[in-house]
Amino acid sequence: MAGFSDIEQRLQERERQNRYRQRRVVESPQGRTLQIDGRQLLNFCGNDYLGLAGDARVRAAFKQGIDDWGAGSGAAHLVCGHSKPHHELEEAIAEFTGRPRCLLFSSGYAANLGVINGLLSVGDHVFEDRLNHASLLDGGWISRAEFQWFDHCDIDDLSAKLAVHAKNDGRKLIVSDGTFSMDGDLCLLNDLVRLGHQHGAWIMIDDAHGFGVHGTEGRGIVNREQFSVDDVQILVGTLGKAFGTHGAFVAGSEEMIETLIQKARTYVFSTALPPSCAVATLTSLEILRSEEWRRDRLRDHVQQFRQGAKQIGLSVMPSESPIQPVLVGTEQAALSISAQLEELGILVTPIRPPTVPIGSSRLRITLTAGHREEDVDHLLGALEACAATVQAIA
Ligand SMILES: *Cc1c(COP(=O)(O)O)cnc(C)c1O
């Protein structure tokens, strides 16, 4: 029996494949620059799209929240951990998303696991885009529903797979990222909704990277397309990205949310977020909605980056989001270019399999409203300096 005797060998194998991951110790708060190993680096890999993680008003609200509500929530929501700030935040987000109800979770990962597992079981069917976030895939797998992939944004493939199961009873759930986290492209929402109606399936959209970024007041892609709760029955967002804080929410009908309160295990059996985090998020929600200039600036940076990248001959992916990946192919290429960029004062963590499909290692560049025009120029200059390597490998 091998047991765990090969544990070290497996690690070495991972290292040989250039897939070994290492954490970097960040010595400064999140923001436009990060200090690592004593050096200031321009940060082009975070998800703090609106620059709110370091915002003075959000920080002040967090501190006030601690003074008013203490450090921890003390218990799960169903025991005695569901405080007034949690409740207010749920109501504010329900209004923001145009849904009757909303439920807070401790993380996006927990939300996705809890929702799918809470709503589906043996005899049901879940259809997932191949590039969905790991938490959506895991949620589908542990639910014990029959799991079916469809090719990335391939509506014909999804349609064919739904047709195969047309006569089956049981619940059918179509699950997709709103903005795909590693590619930056958007799901084909109109088509998903049409297929949902046609097959009596529910649609679950995880718009973790869309809230704060797309739509009026940053209400995300579902609201931008004006889809109601009858079209997209389950809407997920996270608070650790554009909101700049921590946690996640699920929005939908009264009955759906009540079902999750009864049955979502990651909700029932997990301590509520600190109330101070909900207080801070109420403030960041206000800023996110009202300060349109942050989205304008973000869009400008995306434009500037895409134009500049094309000029230096880099192939950019079809993304209108702040996620602007540069594909480089092999793990080795991603590691080496990331190291070169770091030499030039730029932090872009290499993204490799299994996070992305084999052969599609990339630099997942992200832009934020916290960047300045000259930062984007600096990034482009550094990429140009590495361009020979980038192209040789791409
Ligand atoms: C980041 C992310 C999550 C996980 O959210 P956390 O709050 O970080 O656990 C879920 N879904 C998508 C699409 C994400 O990008």
Side-chain angles (χ1 to χ4, degrees):
M1 273 211 297
F4 286 100
S5 61
D6 64 349
I7 191 166
E8 195 180 341
Q9 189 192 328
R10 294 281 182 95
L11 280 174
Q12 286 164 354
E13 194 177 305
R14 200 175 174 88
E15 196 155 9
R16 267 198 307 282
Q17 295 174 311
N18 290 310
R19 289 184 193 165
Y20 204 87
R21 284 119 203 275
Q22 270 160 321
R23 300 168 304 168
R24 307 299 300 273
V25 179
V26 177
E27 298 149 359
S28 64
Q30 286 298 311
R32 162 183 171 260
T33 63
L34 293 177
Q35 183 177 310
I36 292 183
D37 294 333
R39 286 177 68 215
Q40 289 293 127
L41 302 172
L42 276 172
N43 172 14
F44 281 105
C45 52
N47 299 320
D48 178 23
Y49 300 121
L50 299 181
L52 294 182
D55 186 274
R57 294 159 292 177
V58 179
R59 289 156 82 133
F62 226 128
K63 288 181 208 164
Q64 187 63 50
I66 293 170
D67 285 345
D68 293 345
W69 297 93
S73 67
H77 285 273
L78 292 183
V79 180
C80 62
H82 185 68
S83 65
K84 200 157 160 256
H86 293 121
H87 205 74
E88 281 174 14
L89 180 59
E90 287 183 347
E91 286 173 346
I93 293 177
E95 194 273 318
F96 175 62
T97 54
R99 263 60 189 156
R101 288 280 298 275
C102 157
L103 194 67
L104 288 178
F105 281 76
S106 303
S107 72
Y109 197 99
N112 287 336
L113 232 61
V115 169
I116 304 178
N117 191 33
L119 292 173
L120 301 187
S121 186
V122 177
D124 298 330
H125 296 267
V126 59
F127 301 85
E128 299 224 17
D129 189 291
R130 262 186 206 287
L131 296 189
N132 274 355
H133 190 266
S135 54
L136 294 170
L137 302 178
D138 291 356
W141 284 321
I142 66 165
S143 72
R144 294 180 294 157
E146 188 178 320
F147 189 101
Q148 190 79 66
W149 300 101
F150 58 93
D151 289 338
H152 178 52
C153 287
D154 187 337
I155 295 304
D156 292 339
D157 190 36
L158 171 59
S159 181
K161 281 168 180 162
L162 282 162
V164 169
H165 296 286
K167 292 211 166 60
N168 293 2
D169 289 336
R171 296 175 172 179
K172 290 175 190 143
L173 182 65
I174 300 169
V175 182
S176 181
D177 278 26
T179 305
F180 285 87
S181 56
M182 294 298 137
D183 289 49
D185 56 339
L186 306 184
C187 70
L188 300 173
L189 197 52
N190 282 287
D191 295 310
L192 295 179
V193 168
R194 179 175 51 80
L195 284 180
H197 285 306
Q198 198 176 322
H199 290 270
W202 271 16
I203 306 287
M204 172 175 182
I205 298 294
D206 173 359
D207 203 16
H209 300 274
F211 283 106
V213 171
H214 298 297
T216 314
E217 297 187 348
R219 291 172 194 243
I221 65 160
V222 171
N223 187 280
R224 185 173 76 173
E225 304 296 334
Q226 311 223 310
F227 284 122
S228 76
V229 70
D230 298 322
D231 302 313
V232 174
Q233 290 81 2
I234 309 172
L235 184 52
V236 177
T238 62
L239 304 176
K241 286 156 185 157
F243 283 85
T245 58
H246 189 90
F249 61 85
V250 179
S253 70
E254 193 73 35
E255 302 73 36
M256 195 271 289
I257 295 298
E258 281 300 319
T259 304
L260 296 182
I261 294 174
Q262 315 305 315
K263 297 193 65 180
R265 294 166 68 83
T266 55
Y267 186 78
V268 176
F269 299 107
S270 190
T271 301
L273 286 170
S276 56
C277 187
V279 174
T281 308
L282 279 162
T283 297
S284 83
L285 175 61
E286 256 179 60
I287 301 172
L288 175 149
R289 294 179 74 158
S290 60
E291 297 190 351
E292 201 58 42
W293 64 266
R294 292 178 187 268
R295 274 177 288 282
D296 293 341
R297 188 189 270 194
L298 190 51
R299 255 187 298 275
D300 290 346
H301 291 336
V302 170
Q303 280 292 326
Q304 185 192 350
F305 175 78
R306 290 180 69 80
Q307 276 172 12
K310 280 179 197 156
Q311 270 167 19
I312 59 175
L314 289 180
S315 54
V316 286
M317 294 175 70
S319 160
E320 55 170 304
S321 78
I323 304 167
Q324 293 292 326
V326 175
L327 273 184
V328 298
T330 65
E331 291 87 345
Q332 179 55 39
L335 284 169
S336 127
I337 296 161
S338 167
Q340 288 178 59
L341 288 175
E342 191 169 328
E343 285 297 306
L344 299 169
I346 289 188
L347 185 71
V348 183
T349 314
I351 305 287
R352 295 161 284 163
T355 306
V356 291
I358 291 170
S360 74
S361 289
R362 65 196 67 184
L363 302 165
R364 177 181 177 270
I365 291 166
T366 53
L367 301 157
T368 82
H371 288 127
R372 301 172 188 161
E373 196 178 328
E374 72 237 39
D375 298 339
V376 181
D377 282 337
H378 190 123
L379 168 68
L380 287 164
L383 281 169
E384 191 169 16
C386 309
T389 342
V390 179
Q391 277 158 352
I393 300 161

